[in-house]
Amino acid sequence: MKIHNEFIGGNIKVVKREGNDVYLENELRDTEWDWFYWAFCVEGAKGQTLTFHFQPIRLGYWGPAISHDLKSWRWLGGRDGDSFTYTFGEDEDKVYFAHDMLYHPDRFFAFAKEKGLTTEKFCISRKGRSLPCVKLGQGARSVIVAARHHACEATGNYVLEGFLDEYLKAPLADTKILCVPFVDYDGVIEGDQGKARTPHDHNRDYDVNIPSIYPSCAAIRKYADENGCNYAFDFHSPGHFGAVNDNESIVRNSFEKEKRFDAIGKLFEAEMTERSFKYYRKNDFPFMFDWNIPSANFGAYMAKRSENEIAFSLETPYFGSEDNKVSQENIVEVGRCFCRAFKRYVSEYEGKLPI
Ligand SMILES: [Zn+2]
């Protein structure tokens, strides 16, 4: 039997095995805080029943996400404190377990291809990878959408996919979109936490007075300088779980644009569908509350540009709550609902809500 992290997004350390009990830890790598992301593969355990033990705060409400192909994920259930037990079937050669429902870059590439979008090289990452982007449309209105400023935050990619899927049904006139789906591409591939990297993470690489240290952030800033940025949406996942981390929320990054946050929040609520993970405007993350204080983040950086109408992070939980439980499908649908809200904002409010 082999327990390993040798796949895209893999992250695990096997501490010890005692009989059918396996003790695991996640790999923090260069993250300076305690964080919770992990993903591992078990091969060659046919017919065995194993119990996997973690440190505290590593398992979600419904145990691990489980997959046999890194594409389709479901909640296993059966969490017992900080451990879970799994009986491998006689035909189960390879099983993946993860903190949450991973989003493999190949899913994005397949989606783009299916929609007739060209995936281009945006820049070369620090570790030499060709970091992808997609560009849509032409025109004066410039929109930037992004995900994975924090490498482990897969839910943002599902939302981004839904956003593009909806947008393509009826693109806005006179509008161009830059989409950077994996801002911390090295971290996504290698299974890093990405959050709170040393010396700072990708979403803290937007200090107007200091050049970016990550090529993708530098390239996003250069793009905004050359093309402007009227709207920017950055799709994130929040903390592990509990309280605000269970809610879909817009991170309001200033008081001066409160009317605009209210407007897009109301439209987002109005565009919710039955099959969407639910968003409620009352759950928006207020400015100057808890961790939401001014910082050199992407949303705030773009929001401060003189031409910018509105820019923010949208947080999509890893798990949700019993009556609003995350699935791959319902968080893609969140992106569709959000896109309709954005398009309505453009037609109903753009330039009409003074700060
Ligand atoms: Zn984040």
Side-chain angles (χ1 to χ4, degrees), residues 172-183:
L172 291 167
D174 195 25
T175 302
K176 58 180 170 284
I177 295 187
L178 167 68
C179 167
V180 186
F182 309 105
V183 177

Side-chain angles (χ1 to χ4, degrees), residues 4 25 36 42 70 169 213 215 229 246 268 284 302 306 315:
H4 67 88
E25 288 182 0
F36 44 75
V42 181
L70 291 175
K169 290 175 189 167
I213 60 172
C229 177
D246 295 339
F268 193 13
D284 279 359
M302 294 302 170
S306 61
E315 303 276 2

Side-chain angles (χ1 to χ4, degrees), residues 150 153 236-237:
H150 295 135
E153 298 179 0
H236 283 252
S237 315

